[in-house]
Amino acid sequence: MTETAETGATAEEGGSAVPAGEAPLGALVCPEPEERPDLWPTTARRTEDGELEIGGRPVSAILDEAPAPVYVLDEADFRGRAATWAAAMAEEFWEGYGMAGGEAFYAGKAFLTTRVARLALEEGLGIDTASRGELAVGLAAVEQVEGAGAATRAHRLGLHGNGKTEAEVSLAVYHRLGHIVIDSPEEIEYAAGAVRRWREEGHYGPQERAGLMVRLTTGIHAGGHEFIATAHEDQKFGLSIHTGAAREAIDRIVAAPELELRGLHSHIGSQITDPAGFEEAAAAVLRLRHEVAADTGWLCPEIDLGGGLGIAYTGADDPAPSPTTLARALAAVVRRVCAELGDEAPRVSVEPGRSIAGPSQVTLYRVTGLKRVELGQGASRLYVSVEGGMSDNLRPALYGAAYTALLAGRRSQSTGVVRCRVVGKHCESGDVVVRDVDLPADVTVGDVLAVPATGAYGRSMGMNYNLFTRPGVAWVAGGEQGWVLRPETIEDLLRLEG
């Protein structure tokens, strides 16, 4: 037996019994990259020395330049996932198949910087934004990819979200975004007023109109926790088909001389692993499109079926459907329903975020403390403290999201495992990074843990609770690395004070 966990050095060899009702000891070991490649960036592997390597960089080399905790973005992985989405939508909705084209807009809320937006744009995606800040980043990236003056050709950008201000809508209209998704009656008036103003200033032509999409509440929702389901009636997003609110907004847009109904939008939730919900929502959107055309003579040219395709986070999760699987299912529904209705097929877009960003990043932590808690009847749990916590991954505390963790800095010398809970340093009992995982029994202070699939909503939900500084995001590619976002410092926090 090695030193006990109570000394703060190592865990007891072999651990002890797990609490009643939990999975057997050994069932919650984190899969290695070769066992479950869908959990990890595509370049992740073990070196001959037993270290985890990402983007050609062993974790020790990464941490020499980017101290833990740190998010590590595998750029080749991100590019590959973005390109796969672009190709899947282009192929399944190819005009040669009798469709009107398809594309994917990367959902920037998952994780967005100018560099990340540029990667997505270069691989053929648009960028979906949901705030003034996200839109500014998207505009900056379009400038970098397409050259000077590209902000006025920002058809590859979209503005989404509820409660948009007049200034936000006006900016979207000014830049002629490809997707301006309306979420309330007020936003319709904001858009019409913006067109009138930009006409007066000569930025819009006398007859030029702004194209809008209407976000629909279809009543069809799918996915995980209630907090991330977005298509039921009693919530803040969208305009209801059932109550007639959606149709009222559509009619106002069709009647407005400053506006054009470009499309209909639906988003049914997040962390969805069954295409059936998308298919049902697509049919509802297409039927409303047909109804509007029958009444007004205008068949809107596009529908957007949102995002929300799930990913696996632990070895207990089944692999998620591929982009091609989802695109093919959607294309089949669009083809079938349009044929039934006698309508031309619309252009179809989707908004993947998690399925691109999520597996492309891994968070690296150093173990700072070990505490064995006896739970009675021979059962115990080893609490493994790391620098950081809920400030760099809020999802477990917010809605019980499950993650797993791997001993990344070395190959374990132990044949046993111990039931662990990886926790942060915040003053909250819910400050959990990984609720349940079986780590090697020789885990020790100073070890490096890798938590996979943290690229979506990890850094983007980061915060400064307890005045923790947010970790940086390091990119790795071809054995090199740099900063996507530098880590915050104490001086950064003090600089914000008045």
Side-chain angles (χ1 to χ4, degrees):
M1 181 182 295
T2 59
E3 277 188 279
T4 65
E6 283 73 19
T7 67
T10 59
E12 291 185 36
E13 192 74 33
S16 61
V18 301
E22 292 192 7
L25 192 63
L28 303 182
V29 173
C30 178
E32 294 283 339
E34 67 271 16
E35 296 170 327
R36 284 293 301 270
D38 56 314
L39 294 180
W40 297 92
T42 49
T43 65
R45 67 177 190 90
R46 288 280 187 183
T47 67
E48 292 182 1
D49 295 335
E51 269 193 283
L52 184 68
E53 178 184 275
I54 306 169
R57 298 279 289 176
V59 296
S60 59
I62 293 172
L63 295 176
D64 282 344
E65 298 183 24
V70 62
Y71 308 99
V72 180
L73 169 65
D74 182 338
E75 285 204 345
D77 183 90
F78 187 97
R79 281 187 179 277
R81 295 177 192 278
T84 298
W85 267 110
M89 292 299 294
E91 178 176 356
E92 297 302 326
F93 292 92
W94 180 46
E95 288 85 347
Y97 293 156
M99 309 299 276
E103 61 188 329
F105 281 65
Y106 171 64
K109 64 180 182 175
F111 175 63
L112 191 66
T113 69
T114 305
R115 185 184 186 98
V116 165
R118 193 171 69 242
L119 296 178
L121 289 164
E122 288 173 352
E123 297 302 330
L125 301 186
I127 305 293
D128 175 59
T129 70
S131 72
R132 177 67 182 85
E134 289 182 1
L135 179 55
V137 168
L139 289 168
V142 168
E143 288 274 5
Q144 293 179 11
V145 171
E146 298 186 345
T152 59
R153 305 191 306 276
H155 58 280
R156 299 177 69 189
L157 301 180
L159 180 64
H160 210 159
N162 72 292
K164 290 186 283 293
T165 66
E166 184 174 6
E168 288 170 331
V169 174
S170 181
L171 184 66
V173 170
Y174 178 88
H175 286 289
R176 300 173 174 85
L177 302 193
H179 286 181
I180 303 175
V181 184
I182 294 301
D183 193 82
S184 70
E186 291 79 13
E187 293 174 14
I188 299 172
E189 296 307 311
Y190 294 159
V195 171
R196 290 192 294 270
R197 182 164 59 255
W198 299 133
R199 283 176 177 174
E200 290 174 1
E201 297 188 14
H203 184 68
Y204 262 51
Q207 304 302 317
E208 187 177 359
R209 297 181 292 171
L212 304 182
M213 305 185 84
V214 175
R215 177 162 179 170
L216 310 174
T217 303
T218 60
I220 301 155
H221 53 96
H225 195 281
E226 177 188 358
F227 290 0
I228 54 176
T230 56
H232 52 82
E233 295 289 341
D234 191 7
Q235 48 87 38
K236 70 174 185 173
F237 292 112
L239 294 158
S240 171
I241 294 177
H242 176 71
T243 66
R247 183 57 196 271
E248 182 179 346
I250 289 167
D251 289 343
R252 288 174 67 178
I253 293 170
V254 171
E258 304 89 354
L259 306 174
E260 176 185 292
L261 180 65
R262 182 166 295 166
L264 302 176
H265 182 285
S266 167
H267 182 76
I268 59 175
S270 295
Q271 190 53 14
I272 303 167
T273 56
D274 184 351
F278 289 106
E279 297 174 54
E280 189 176 353
V285 172
L286 289 167
R287 291 190 178 99
L288 179 61
R289 173 178 178 256
H290 176 81
E291 175 190 304
V292 171
D295 293 343
T296 68
W298 176 250
L299 186 67
C300 65
E302 184 171 355
I303 65 171
D304 188 315
L305 298 174
L309 186 66
I311 62 172
Y313 286 96
T314 75
D317 298 331
D318 293 330
S322 69
T324 298
T325 297
L326 180 60
R328 187 161 296 162
L330 293 178
V333 171
V334 170
R335 188 178 290 108
R336 173 178 59 80
V337 175
C338 285
E340 291 173 359
L341 298 173
D343 292 338
E344 293 182 0
R347 185 170 184 82
V348 177
S349 52
V350 292
E351 297 164 354
R354 182 196 313 261
S355 60
I356 298 171
S360 73
Q361 282 187 42
V362 171
T363 306
L364 300 180
Y365 296 97
R366 283 201 188 275
V367 175
T368 59
L370 301 170
K371 183 188 295 183
R372 187 180 296 282
V373 177
E374 302 297 335
L375 301 172
Q377 298 181 328
S380 68
R381 193 186 317 280
L382 184 66
Y383 279 74
V384 179
S385 296
V386 295
E387 187 79 22
M390 63 191 294
S391 56
D392 40 76
N393 191 348
L394 186 59
R395 296 183 71 250
L398 187 61
Y399 33 70
Y403 287 84
T404 188
L406 188 74
L407 186 65
R410 62 182 175 89
R411 183 174 285 114
S412 171
Q413 301 304 307
S414 173
T415 58
V417 295
V418 60
R419 180 60 46 86
C420 298
R421 182 160 294 163
V422 182
V423 296
K425 299 177 57 160
H426 296 285
C427 298
E428 298 285 341
S429 59
D431 178 24
V432 174
V433 176
V434 179
R435 183 169 182 81
D436 293 299
V437 62
D438 293 337
L439 291 173
D442 63 349
V443 62
T444 186
V445 170
D447 271 336
V448 178
L449 300 182
V451 178
T454 56
Y457 309 106
R459 179 57 173 80
S460 65
M461 284 186 173
M463 60 178 176
N464 297 118
Y465 182 45
N466 287 148
L467 288 185
F468 269 58
T469 55
R470 289 178 293 178
V473 183
W475 62 263
V476 291
E480 299 182 347
Q481 77 179 74
W483 287 117
V484 178
L485 288 173
R486 66 171 178 82
E488 287 181 334
T489 65
I490 297 295
E491 289 72 26
D492 290 330
L493 300 184
L494 293 173
R495 196 174 296 117
L496 292 174
E497 294 190 7

